[in-house]
Amino acid sequence: MDIIELRNEIYCRRDMLIRYFVRKGMRDEAEDMASRTMIKAVENIEGLRDEDKLENWLMRIAANERNGRIREMVREEKRVCSRFARTESGEEIDLVEEVAAEKTLEEVFQGITDSTNVIRLLYTLPPLERAIFLMRAYEGRKYREIAEDLNININTVKSIYSRGRKKLLKNYEKIFGEEARDE
């Protein structure tokens, strides 16, 4: 295959890359991450030794992109350790006060657009649990929709969501020093 055909093959794998990033808990950034992965692959196409292993090579680049983004998020989180978050309307809220005001984790997460401590809390979950929790609690999606998107059984989604929610409740107290209400 020549370079032009290889580039076209890389671009044809865009949807596969987006699904990879969604499964890894990066739903909001999946398209950007897929684009960055494709750009890096095209820029480094000479590094592909065996054309038959294009997909594996792309997935390694995607994994490196994801790991780099996670490291970047950790650095951001370390810079600003706050218990405050910004709502969609731009208002800044105190997460501890919100939970103390008898709000559930889901209610708190639905109003938040930016918080380093929320990121820190979410990254206490494994990627699949984090993705499912965000789809359910933050995006308000139904179990059936999540199961279809991730191509897994609906009961598995319910189980993973429940397990992730319990872990978040437990970890919330460690990070914020307050007990979250479980409902």
Side-chain angles (χ1 to χ4, degrees):
M1 236 186 276
D2 67 3
I3 299 249
I4 293 172
E5 289 175 1
L6 282 172
R7 286 181 181 163
N8 288 337
E9 284 295 317
I10 290 169
Y11 295 134
C12 288
R13 303 286 199 296
R14 181 177 184 275
D15 288 341
M16 174 194 74
L17 292 168
I18 290 172
R19 284 191 305 275
Y20 167 79
F21 289 114
V22 168
R23 280 193 316 270
K24 294 297 183 179
M26 304 185 100
R27 179 174 197 77
D28 294 338
E29 300 180 63
E31 288 188 28
D32 290 337
M33 298 292 291
S35 296
R36 280 185 261 170
T37 299
M38 290 186 305
I39 289 168
K40 280 197 176 173
V42 168
E43 288 173 349
N44 298 300
I45 202 133
E46 301 83 30
L48 178 61
R49 294 185 197 113
D50 184 357
E51 295 170 2
D52 293 334
K53 296 186 179 179
L54 174 67
E55 198 166 301
N56 291 339
W57 182 70
L58 266 175
M59 295 312 290
R60 279 196 315 272
I61 294 171
N64 289 338
E65 274 297 304
R66 179 180 168 273
N67 292 340
R69 178 63 183 128
I70 290 171
R71 283 191 297 275
E72 185 180 305
M73 291 168 79
V74 168
R75 280 193 300 272
E76 289 172 15
E77 186 268 324
K78 284 180 180 176
R79 251 183 285 146
V80 183
C81 255
S82 168
R83 64 188 232 185
F84 294 94
R86 191 167 307 285
T87 62
E88 290 176 3
S89 65
E91 174 189 3
E92 198 167 85
I93 61 170
D94 183 324
L95 294 172
V96 174
E97 285 181 19
E98 290 293 310
V99 173
E102 300 296 309
K103 288 193 174 183
T104 65
L105 275 176
E106 287 81 358
E107 291 168 335
V108 172
F109 274 93
Q110 283 177 345
I112 295 171
T113 57
D114 176 44
S115 171
T116 55
N117 275 336
V118 170
I119 292 169
R120 190 166 120 199
L121 181 62
L122 286 171
Y123 275 88
T124 63
L125 294 179
L128 183 60
E129 285 180 20
R130 181 173 56 247
I132 289 173
F133 182 83
L134 286 171
M135 285 184 221
R136 178 80 177 145
Y138 185 70
E139 296 174 9
R141 298 178 64 194
K142 296 182 180 346
Y143 290 117
R144 179 187 41 75
E145 295 171 3
I146 298 168
E148 288 172 2
D149 279 356
L150 298 178
N151 199 24
I152 57 178
N153 184 294
I154 191 168
N155 291 325
T156 304
V157 171
K158 290 177 180 179
S159 174
I160 291 171
Y161 175 75
S162 176
R163 186 172 53 240
R165 191 174 184 290
K166 286 176 185 171
K167 286 179 186 175
L168 285 174
L169 286 167
K170 187 173 114 188
N171 294 334
Y172 185 91
E173 186 175 354
K174 290 178 187 173
I175 291 174
F176 294 106
E178 297 278 332
E179 189 172 325
R181 185 176 65 127
D182 184 11
E183 279 188 11

